[in-house]
Amino acid sequence: MKTLKILGMAIVLCMLTGAICKAQTADVTVMVDGIKEAKGKLMIAAGDKSNPQEMKYDMVEVKSTDPVVCVLKDVPVGTCNLYVYQDLNDNYRLDMDDQNLPVEPCYTKEKMKVKEGENKIELKLLNVREMMGKK
C-alpha cells in the first residue's frame, strides 16, 4: 500500500513537471505596410532559419496595396527572428540579384521578443535595391 502511494505521488509529480516544462507559445500579429504592387503573396516567418522545421510560417495573398494583417500561431515565447517578403513572381523564395541584394520588397527583424499574451508588430516593406540607389 505504501508503495502504491509513493508510485501515485511520483506519477502526479511527473505530470505536473511535464506541464510546467512544456514550451510556452504565443500568437504574433504582424501588420505589413509598404506594399507597392497588388500581386503575389506575402510570406512571413518567425524563428531561426538555421532550424526551418521549428519556424512558424504564414502566407497571405496580396490583393491591394493596403496594409496586410497576418497572424503567426504558436510562436515560442522568447527571442526569434522575423522574416517578411512579398513574393511578386510566386516562386516561393526571395529573389536576389547578382550582388546578392533582394529584388523583391522585404523586411527582417532580428532578436524580436515574443512574450506571453498579445504580440503585435507593425512594419513597412523595404526595397533594398532602391535604398542602395540601384535600379
Side-chain angles (χ1 to χ4, degrees), residues 60-77:
V60 178
E61 191 167 342
V62 178
K63 298 179 180 179
S64 76
T65 57
D66 294 334
V68 174
V69 176
C70 173
V71 178
L72 293 172
K73 300 280 189 187
D74 300 322
V75 178
V77 170

Side-chain angles (χ1 to χ4, degrees), residues 32 40-44 58-60 62 68 84-86 125:
V32 181
K41 292 178 179 60
L42 201 60
M43 313 295 270
I44 303 172
D58 199 7
M59 177 176 24
V60 178
V62 178
V68 174
V84 181
Y85 72 95
Q86 185 177 357
L125 289 177

